[in-house]
């Protein structure tokens, strides 16, 4: 059971590259996963990702996710994955795995994770915090970089 959990964790968190090379069955499964999840489902997925990441030594001190909260996030996300793959999107799951292999699951959940993250990043508080980095970036250096590659900022700089 732990092996399945580890594989599912890797699928959900490290499948970003696979989505770019998805076949038509993976695309169909991705569409079904997104269509079959509510905003609450996506929030639960974000909570699970956050709880899992909070265990990393580099960020552990920034979070205080309790063992009970970890269990709750695992429980909800496990139920969500079961519902999506075994019920709501079963046909698409079977076809994707049959014709494109297990990476289809990885790629499809990567798309769902990206959709969930977009919702998170669109929150005004999160966007404001993320935007705070601009106070510490030298825009002229990025304008120079854009000039080197012939980007739009090069025209502005002239």
């Amino acid at each position: 059971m732990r092996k399945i959990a580890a594989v599912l964790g890797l699928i959900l968190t490290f499948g970003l590259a696979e989505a770019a090379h998805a076949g038509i069955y993976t695309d169909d499964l991705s569409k079904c996963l997104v269509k079959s999840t509510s905003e609450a489902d996506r929030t639960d997925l974000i909570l699970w990702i956050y709880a899992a990441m909070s265990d990393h030594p580099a960020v552990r001190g920034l979070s205080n996710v309790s063992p009970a909260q970890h269990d709750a996030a695992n429980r909800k996300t496990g139920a969500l994955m079961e519902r999506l793959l075994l019920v709501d999107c079963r046909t698409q799951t079977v076809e994707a795995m049959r014709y494109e292999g297990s990476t289809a699951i990885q790629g499809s959940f990567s798309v769902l994770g990206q959709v969930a993250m977009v919702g998170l990043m669109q929150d005004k508080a999160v966007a404001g915090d993320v935007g705070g980095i601009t106070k510490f970036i030298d825009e002229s250096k990025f304008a120079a970089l854009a000039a080197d590659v012939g980007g739009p900022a090069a025209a502005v700089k002239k």
Side-chain angles (χ1 to χ4, degrees):
M1 191 54 119
R2 286 181 188 257
K3 187 174 182 179
I4 291 171
V7 170
L8 293 176
L10 289 172
I11 286 170
L12 286 173
T13 56
F14 299 111
L16 300 177
E18 291 299 322
H21 304 293
I24 69 166
Y25 297 101
T26 300
D27 287 344
D28 288 345
L29 178 56
S30 299
K31 290 174 190 172
C32 185
L33 294 177
V34 171
K35 183 181 80 174
S36 299
T37 53
S38 66
E39 201 59 41
D41 291 333
R42 292 182 202 138
T43 298
D44 287 343
L45 184 58
I46 289 168
L47 290 170
W48 176 78
I49 292 168
Y50 179 83
M53 290 177 14
S54 73
D55 274 340
H56 191 281
V59 297
R60 191 175 294 136
L62 299 174
S63 176
N64 60 354
V65 179
S66 71
Q69 289 170 317
H70 276 281
D71 284 347
N74 286 332
R75 186 178 305 101
K76 281 186 175 185
T77 302
L80 175 64
M81 290 183 70
E82 280 186 6
R83 189 192 87 217
L84 291 173
L85 295 175
L86 305 177
V87 180
D88 297 350
C89 302
R90 187 180 189 95
T91 300
Q92 293 86 346
T93 301
V94 168
E95 289 179 349
M97 290 186 72
R98 180 177 292 147
Y99 298 113
E100 295 173 1
S102 61
T103 60
I105 304 297
Q106 181 178 354
S108 296
F109 271 96
S110 173
V111 170
L112 179 59
Q114 290 173 24
V115 169
M117 290 303 292
V118 166
L120 177 76
M121 299 303 286
Q122 288 176 341
D123 178 82
K124 288 181 182 180
V126 174
D129 198 44
V130 169
I133 194 172
T134 59
K135 294 185 286 190
F136 305 100
I137 291 177
D138 185 342
E139 291 182 37
S140 68
K141 291 178 181 177
F142 282 92
L145 175 65
D148 288 348
V149 296
V156 173
K157 189 179 179 199
K158 290 180 182 177

